[in-house]
Amino acid sequence: MLETVKYLFGSTGASGFGSKSTAEQVTETCPDLRSITAIITGATSGIGAETARVLAKRGARLVLPARNLKAAEEAKARIVSEFPDAKIVVMALDLSSLSSVRKFESEFQSLSLPLNVLINNAGKFAHEHGISEDGIEMTFATNYLGHFLLTKLLLNKMIKTAKESGVQGRIVNVSSSIHGWFSGDVIRYLGQISRSKSPYDATRAYALSKLANVLHTKELAQRLKQVDANVTVNCVHPGIVRTRLTREREGLITDLVFFLASKLLKTIPQAAATTCYVATHPRLVNVSGKYFADCNEARPSKLGSNSNEAARLWTASEIMVSIDPKAVFDPRNGFDYDHM
């Protein structure tokens, strides 16, 4: 109850910011970002577009990967109209396709750009059951697995950039408090919904993908620490905001729910604040493996805090993105490797 009251009144936390803080406000005191290159997925609309706009305002060079290149060019044009000196590269990427992720990474490497910040923001809520070209349930494939592979492929570039520049690299995984709605066996449930559309609970599938973002953050932070990389990774809950993700299902009931919840909704500038804070603020140097909400550290769900589950998902993910023909994701048993 107390947390809800604090949220409604926008009370600030230890960071000095709260639920009513905007992306521009939380970046006002950040270092000059003109030497920073950031990749932001899902930047054609909503929270991602505002994140891109604010980082461009602070001087960062942006790479905007998108499935819809026309929408990405329009997003770029909007930013450049406001900030004529903005440096923005638009590139093709379909996160639901592992081959597209690999192609994007190859094309990005060919640009010979540094990479300081990776913001895994893109999200999908598939109301109808779907399977990706790689045989994975579509929401999970887009929200988590594509980002897992993207991060994996770009990690050496980020480590190298941090070493050469002396500027700590930052990875931000955009999750949701909805990750706490999932309970059960992560791998087995993924197997079930990747095998059959019946029964299919779209909300539970979405919660699974957001939980996977949290678990990915936890395990990756440990692995970065083990190799002494000057790169951090943190996870954020942006808050509840009406974006294209929810507008895909318009109607009387949806409109009524959002009207009743209007006092809990954030504006898009407020919703982008936590992402921008975690990606840029100097007080988060060396902070890694944490979960943030309203620009302050928060607690993920019990399952999201489980190190064993994080390691288990990582192993399964490595198999799912592997190009080794022996690596097999078995929907009946979760995963298998050469029939181990």
Side-chain angles (χ1 to χ4, degrees):
M1 182 65 181
L2 179 59
E3 292 303 314
T4 302
V5 172
K6 287 182 178 179
Y7 176 89
L8 290 171
F9 283 94
S11 300
T12 59
S15 68
F17 303 110
S19 63
K20 304 302 183 184
S21 300
T22 67
E24 288 200 15
Q25 289 171 344
V26 303
T27 57
E28 282 177 353
T29 60
C30 73
D32 188 334
L33 299 184
R34 283 178 293 181
S35 64
I36 298 300
T37 298
I39 292 177
I40 308 171
T41 68
T44 58
S45 64
I47 297 168
E50 177 66 3
T51 299
R53 188 190 74 82
V54 172
L55 293 192
K57 179 176 183 177
R58 303 306 179 201
R61 178 197 287 118
L62 304 181
V63 177
L64 307 184
R67 185 169 53 87
N68 185 334
L69 289 178
K70 182 175 182 292
E73 289 291 354
E74 290 171 352
K76 173 182 176 179
R78 288 193 298 270
I79 295 172
V80 172
S81 69
E82 188 175 358
F83 310 112
D85 294 332
K87 299 179 178 65
I88 304 174
V89 179
V90 168
M91 299 179 68
L93 172 62
D94 179 354
L95 281 161
S96 72
S97 165
L98 297 180
S99 64
S100 177
V101 175
R102 291 190 176 92
K103 183 179 180 183
F104 167 82
E105 184 268 341
S106 177
E107 292 177 348
F108 174 76
Q109 298 286 6
S110 71
L111 299 177
S112 298
L113 292 174
L115 181 57
N116 308 91
V117 177
L118 172 61
I119 300 178
N120 292 320
N121 166 80
K124 178 183 182 67
F125 188 113
H127 297 289
E128 303 296 331
H129 183 264
I131 301 294
S132 74
E133 64 184 43
D134 304 291
I136 306 298
E137 188 275 326
M138 190 61 77
T139 297
F140 189 90
T142 304
N143 294 358
Y144 167 71
L145 195 62
H147 282 128
F148 174 87
L149 179 59
L150 181 66
T151 304
K152 174 183 170 70
L153 295 177
L154 293 173
L155 205 52
N156 284 339
K157 167 67 78 173
M158 293 196 72
I159 293 171
K160 180 181 179 183
T161 298
K163 185 174 182 179
E164 291 177 349
S165 67
V167 178
Q168 191 168 73
R170 297 193 185 186
I171 300 168
V172 183
N173 289 331
V174 179
S175 181
S176 167
S177 62
I178 291 174
H179 82 272
W181 294 12
F182 183 87
S183 61
D185 189 311
V186 171
I187 305 303
R188 190 166 297 278
Y189 184 66
L190 173 61
Q192 291 172 1
I193 59 177
S194 293
R195 177 174 81 244
S196 170
K197 66 179 181 180
S198 180
Y200 180 69
D201 183 332
T203 300
R204 192 175 186 217
Y206 182 75
L208 171 66
S209 71
K210 296 287 103 178
L211 172 63
N213 295 145
V214 177
L215 293 172
H216 177 216
T217 301
K218 187 173 185 64
E219 180 66 15
L220 180 56
Q222 290 300 314
R223 289 171 179 260
L224 289 169
K225 184 178 180 180
Q226 288 170 5
V227 298
D228 199 28
N230 191 24
V231 176
T232 64
V233 56
N234 290 291
C235 196
V236 305
H237 164 54
I240 305 170
V241 58
R242 194 167 199 187
T243 66
R244 191 176 64 184
L245 197 69
T246 53
R247 287 198 298 269
E248 288 176 358
R249 177 169 283 187
E250 295 285 4
L252 179 61
I253 294 177
T254 301
D255 291 340
L256 179 61
V257 168
F258 273 94
F259 173 75
L260 295 174
S262 61
K263 295 301 182 181
L264 294 174
L265 293 181
K266 288 188 176 187
T267 65
I268 286 177
Q270 290 169 348
T274 304
T275 298
C276 289
Y277 172 73
V278 172
T280 66
H281 205 281
R283 75 178 296 150
L284 294 187
V285 171
N286 296 327
V287 175
S288 192
K290 305 299 183 181
Y291 176 80
F292 288 83
D294 301 328
C295 300
N296 288 277
E297 188 177 336
R299 289 184 181 180
S301 69
K302 183 177 180 181
L303 191 54
S305 302
N306 190 313
S307 298
N308 291 334
E309 199 64 32
R312 183 168 173 254
L313 177 62
W314 185 284
T315 300
S317 302
E318 289 279 18
I319 291 172
M320 285 185 275
V321 304
S322 175
I323 57 175
D324 188 331
K326 297 179 182 178
V328 178
F329 177 72
D330 181 354
R332 293 165 299 176
N333 300 308
F335 59 92
D336 189 16
Y337 186 83
D338 197 24
H339 307 294
M340 68 181 182

